[in-house]
Amino acid sequence: AGKIGTTTGEICFNTGMTGYQEIFTDPSYFGQIMVTTNAHIGNYGIKNEETESDNIKISGLVCKNFNITYSRKMADSSIQDYFLEERIVGISDVDTRSLVRHIRDKGAMNAIISSEILDIQALNAKLAEVPSMDGLELSSQVSTKEAYEYGDKNAAKRVAVLDLGVKKNILRNFNSRGIFSKVSPAKTSFAEMEKWNPDGYFISNGPGDPSAMPYAIETVKAVLKSDKPLFGICLGHQLLALANDIRTMKMFNGHRGLNHPVKNIIINHCEVTSQNHGFGVIAEDVKNSDKVEITHLNLNDQSIEGIRVKGKKAFSVQFHPESSPGPHDSRYLFDDFVASVRHADAVILAPIYPAGEKPIDGISSNTLAKAMSK
């Protein structure tokens, strides 16, 4: 499958039935070999506009059926041509369900796949050189090298995006809500971003260990001191926690899939979410914190899926509201953040919308809260 070669990385699995192209190009998967549990990969081809970044970010692919022939007339190429162009190594005809059971039992680990080396000792020697994901800083490798702007520059409000591996669909969600964004490299200081005079800040998703990113933690602390609205997704969620003295940890397996149930405990509302993370925040630290409060809980394992900072317009979630598993169960989070950017009296996760103004996706937290109180 793909390029003949050898590749290494942390092996992980995604249980999504669709969306393989979005998975391949998600910067959060940088440095990881992806195992797909769905039996058919490539069956609807590759469409250029459906990528989440400029190139494939996974280190390699392990799948059951690597379908070179595809059914979608709108597709631009086959998965094989796509992998060859991007120089990605993959292996197929693997019993991926058995492999996933092994990873579930043994936890996260490094792996090597090869379509050219068959000597086990040689492969083991190469594998021994692969660094552990625990303690690894990767965001600066996938972040934009130069700052760029996205959206309508005549928009009324501006949001500064700290790019730690941001997905394109996040920027699209801001643009569709009338927000002009400036995306800055991972190690850009708060002082530098503030020169653009943004109305709010977004801390993006991305790969690697959040505790190995002191530069980003300091940036988040500076944003919090400014009292401007802040929204974080995935890695951004973990960094908001670290900025408030809440520790993070490497998860035994992580969450990667499209059907993770999450409860918004503020409004008593369940969401089906898309997730992709191998690190999480330590629940006890959040529960004992006097700085933040829990907003979302994972209904599978009770892990912390969302927090908001007390007395600040700052909140974050561990899942991906810009993805479409529900399909729009969590999009209200963008509406709520934008409301906090536009209106001084807005309350995070329960914004007051002025007469005549409506959120774009689904119904707002405020509307839900009113409905639940009746």
Side-chain angles (χ1 to χ4, degrees):
K3 172 181 175 284
I4 299 297
T6 303
T7 190
T8 62
E10 181 184 66
I11 194 164
C12 63
F13 59 88
N14 189 296
T15 57
M17 296 292 285
T18 61
Y20 53 77
Q21 189 176 339
E22 289 86 345
I23 291 169
F24 299 158
T25 57
D26 182 347
S28 296
Y29 283 124
F30 183 70
Q32 294 178 312
I33 294 173
M34 175 55 58
V35 179
T36 48
T37 61
N38 189 35
H40 298 283
I41 299 299
N43 53 311
Y44 55 85
I46 301 297
K47 191 166 176 57
N48 296 336
E49 65 187 40
E50 292 178 357
T51 59
E52 289 290 1
S53 65
D54 292 336
N55 50 33
I56 293 178
K57 293 300 193 294
I58 60 170
S59 294
L61 174 70
V62 180
C63 66
K64 174 63 176 168
N65 297 318
F66 190 76
N67 297 100
I68 298 175
T69 302
Y70 57 89
S71 60
R72 186 166 54 155
K73 292 181 180 179
M74 292 166 54
D76 296 304
S77 66
S78 72
I79 189 172
Q80 174 65 3
D81 289 343
Y82 186 48
F83 270 36
L84 288 175
E85 183 182 343
E86 298 271 345
R87 303 181 64 78
I88 300 297
V89 175
I91 57 173
S92 59
D93 297 321
V94 175
D95 183 352
T96 52
R97 298 192 179 197
S98 174
L99 179 57
V100 165
R101 288 176 71 93
H102 178 78
I103 299 169
R104 277 195 189 280
D105 291 342
K106 302 297 183 181
M109 66 189 84
N110 287 333
I112 183 168
I113 61 174
S114 181
S115 49
E116 62 180 355
I117 302 172
L118 300 180
D119 185 308
I120 297 298
Q121 285 187 320
L123 290 169
N124 274 329
K126 280 182 172 290
L127 181 58
E129 298 173 0
V130 182
S132 169
M133 189 67 75
D134 202 357
L136 208 56
E137 191 282 319
L138 295 175
S139 284
S140 59
Q141 295 185 47
V142 299
S143 176
T144 181
K145 304 306 177 197
E146 301 285 340
Y148 64 92
E149 296 175 339
Y150 188 97
D152 178 8
K153 60 177 59 181
N154 295 316
K157 296 295 180 181
R158 299 174 159 200
V159 166
V161 176
L162 186 65
D163 178 14
L164 307 174
V166 70
K167 293 166 68 177
K168 287 182 179 179
N169 208 33
I170 290 172
L171 302 179
R172 294 186 196 111
N173 270 278
F174 285 139
N175 184 44
S176 67
R177 287 163 175 79
I179 294 293
F180 183 45
S181 303
K182 183 174 182 179
V183 185
S184 296
K187 294 189 176 181
T188 308
S189 68
F190 168 75
E192 184 63 30
M193 288 190 289
E194 187 66 8
K195 290 178 183 177
W196 191 61
N197 195 27
D199 301 291
Y201 284 84
F202 175 75
I203 312 300
S204 85
N205 60 293
D209 186 342
S211 65
M213 303 172 64
Y215 64 89
I217 297 170
E218 290 307 309
T219 300
V220 173
K221 285 181 177 179
V223 175
L224 290 174
K225 284 182 182 177
S226 76
D227 277 336
K228 288 188 177 181
L230 179 151
F231 179 27
I233 287 177
C234 208
L235 181 61
H237 164 75
Q238 296 153 14
L239 291 168
L240 181 62
L242 286 163
N244 285 281
D245 303 318
I246 294 164
R247 294 169 296 167
T248 56
M249 47 76 182
K250 183 88 171 72
M251 300 173 73
F252 186 68
N253 263 313
H255 297 157
R256 298 177 181 92
L258 309 180
N259 62 347
H260 291 253
V262 167
K263 184 176 182 180
N264 179 329
I265 63 175
I266 304 297
I267 55 176
N268 197 33
H269 173 227
C270 185
E271 305 161 32
V272 177
T273 69
S274 175
Q275 302 208 7
N276 165 21
H277 61 106
F279 291 84
V281 301
I282 294 177
E284 285 306 307
D285 283 12
V286 180
K287 292 171 183 175
N288 294 329
S289 174
D290 58 358
K291 296 181 179 179
V292 307
E293 58 184 330
I294 301 168
T295 60
H296 296 76
L297 283 174
N298 189 299
L299 294 179
N300 284 336
D301 61 10
Q302 298 301 302
S303 58
I304 307 299
E305 293 283 358
I307 58 173
R308 63 181 175 187
V309 181
K310 295 178 181 178
K312 303 275 187 182
K313 287 186 180 182
F315 74 115
S316 61
V317 289
Q318 184 64 84
F319 49 92
H320 281 271
E322 81 287 348
S323 296
S324 305
H328 295 155
D329 286 17
S330 305
R331 293 280 179 89
Y332 69 88
L333 293 165
F334 285 102
D335 290 323
D336 289 5
F337 174 62
V338 170
S340 73
V341 169
R342 287 178 177 162
H343 310 298
D345 59 347
V347 179
I348 288 292
L349 294 183
I352 307 285
Y353 285 91
E357 183 175 328
K358 295 180 180 179
I360 290 177
D361 275 308
I363 51 178
S364 73
S365 299
N366 188 54
T367 304
L368 272 175
K370 286 180 180 177
M372 297 298 294
S373 67
K374 290 182 180 177

